[in-house]
Amino acid sequence: MKKEDVTETQEEVFFPSPEIVEKALVKDYETLYRKSIENREQFWADEADKLDWFRKWDKVLDDSNKPFYQWYTGGKFNIVANAVDRHVKTWRRNKLALVWEGEPGDTKTYSYHALNREVCKFATVLKSMGVKKGEIVTIYMPQIPELPIAMLACAKLGAAHSVVYGGFSVEALATRIRDANSRVVITADGGYRRGKVVDLKGIVNEALIGAPTVEVCITIRRTGHAVAMESDRDFWFHDLMGLPIATTSCETEVMDAEDPLFILYTSGTTGQPKGLVHTHAGYAVYAATTLQYVFDLREEDRYWCTADPGWITGHSYLVYGPLLLGSTIMMYEGAPNHPYPNRWWQMIEKYGVTILYTSPTGIRGLMRFGEQWPKRHNLSWLRLLGSVGEPINPEAWRWYHRVIGGGRCPIMDTWWQTETGGFVITPLPITPLKPGSATRPFFGHEIAIVDDDGKELPVGQEGNLVLKAPWPGMARTIHGDPDRFKQTYWRQYEKQGWYKAGDSARKDKDGYFWVIGRTDDVIKVSGHRLGTAEIESALVSHPDVAEAAVIGLPHEVKGQAIYCFVILKHGKSGSKELEDKLKIHMDHQLGAIARPEKIDFLDTLPKTRSGKIMRRVLKARALGQDVGDISTLEE
Ligand code: PRX
């Protein structure tokens, strides 16, 4: 896109400064993009070559069993050999790997040497507990350094990890442990959030009642509050790490390129969450490549991704991506506005953060306190900003750009998903930006907006977002349910072999993509992906509830908020008191992130003749809109 085109159409476009262009890693998107499409496999081979392999691959892409694509087959690899081991062999041994601050203000820093030492020690401990290749360890922790250490220790041994977000509660955790069949759970006694202790170990203890596969639970002491420990199952992390068996060197397991690195649960259209499987090699290549090009990471950067490692953003761009590139990462345990709404801005100043990657909900949440809070701080180290998780509204974009970025930092609005492993639609620092658009496809991707039959739609028309070609960071399957993987993502465009993202979007005349939102029963609450079905089943598990329907409604800060419609069991009647009780019940079952904004009690729910709840009707009614065609509605 050229500047002249823009003045003609009066569009709001932000061009990068000559200084950014001059220093940028990629100065010409079009040429490299074309190359990456014309010879996709060569592009991904060149990128893979930048990492260390125990043995190079035989084949870059094996597409003989679509849609179960395989990458770098025949290769021997371990992500930890690249994220930690190779750095300690160079001067980076003395570089800061992690700068951490707890909510109460305590701090910890780890050089790559120290990170390696802790990972090795914990890996030997896990090994002594019998942890090995092929098993899935569940990790349920606050944002403390031991969380990435635990992830890396599992990966080092070749065990897959399943990190469950610390904001989830008993039932959500139990379901995920059961699905993963975990024998070992790693947790902490608690964490700090808004000055309060979150009793994680208490939640684990309750969840374990419903997860009988667990034999060992290792607990990190963070808050020091009293917790119940069972003598033959529970171990304190510090006790184990103090044993002579916890040694500072530990072999990194040689893995096949396609061996699983982790599973990460995400919500879909049924109540059962999907455990998406990501692999050691393809995922590592993809996370490192995308982060390098998009955030243009340099040796001297201090990079802060505010996401929790319990979500894919934390996996790819807090833990693995930046460590693969040998960067210094920043991590913070608590709430953005604790004790005051300047907490983040204070930390950016204090640690000299140069790149901030966060979510629109994070920005909106702090924007409402006014610009006097960031204005008190020197944010001049910042050079790049990022956004992820949901579309960023132009008002928040402009505030982020002007107030936080001082008008000089480009915003990388990155569109991607748990399934994609890394950025798919994203600007580069040199890309002219339009507030609210994630701009153009990343290298190697061909993206289209199509109708239900796969016909490409004209410029400006909204339709289904599809990815036409495989990429190394793609999820390989759903743990234990390959059929669901096929059905969910590949079935609709089977003939064409395209991946259906489940998002609705449009493309403008400059080839910029504008993502509108999900087309399925997934809602994004503060950027967190929640399935309406999982929320509904949590509601129905309350003894007074007969049936429930859940929709997402627009919310100023959260993006979307949870709105519930409930039919009570015979003889029960709705009241404010019951609404509050149900909210507490939801906190216990799923976690505070799934707490409904509002619960309405109804006598009937609008259903089709085949018994499907018409959420569209509920939504229109709640928004005071026309309910549209209701000819299929049951009498
Ligand atoms: O709807 C899109 C939205 O988040 C969904 C993926 O959610 P999850 O798997 O939790 O991953 C979030 C972090 C990568 C997408 O289907 N989404 C994510 N990023 C953006 C977005 N929508 C618009 N713009 C974005 N930048």
Side-chain angles (χ1 to χ4, degrees), residues 354-374:
T354 56
I355 301 173
L356 175 69
Y357 185 36
T358 188
S359 62
T361 196
I363 296 304
R364 287 193 298 262
L366 292 173
M367 196 171 117
R368 74 195 150 127
F369 294 108
E371 52 188 87
Q372 69 273 22
W373 292 100

Side-chain angles (χ1 to χ4, degrees), residues 266 311-313 357 387-392 413-420 425 436 438 501-503 515-518 524 527-529:
T266 190
W311 305 99
I312 191 68
T313 308
Y357 185 36
S387 173
V388 62
E390 56 180 312
I392 181 163
D413 178 357
T414 59
W415 177 91
W416 58 295
Q417 310 176 297
T418 307
E419 292 84 347
T420 68
I425 306 176
D503 272 18
V515 174
I516 292 139
R518 301 286 309 178
K524 280 268 169 164
H528 299 149
R529 180 167 161 182

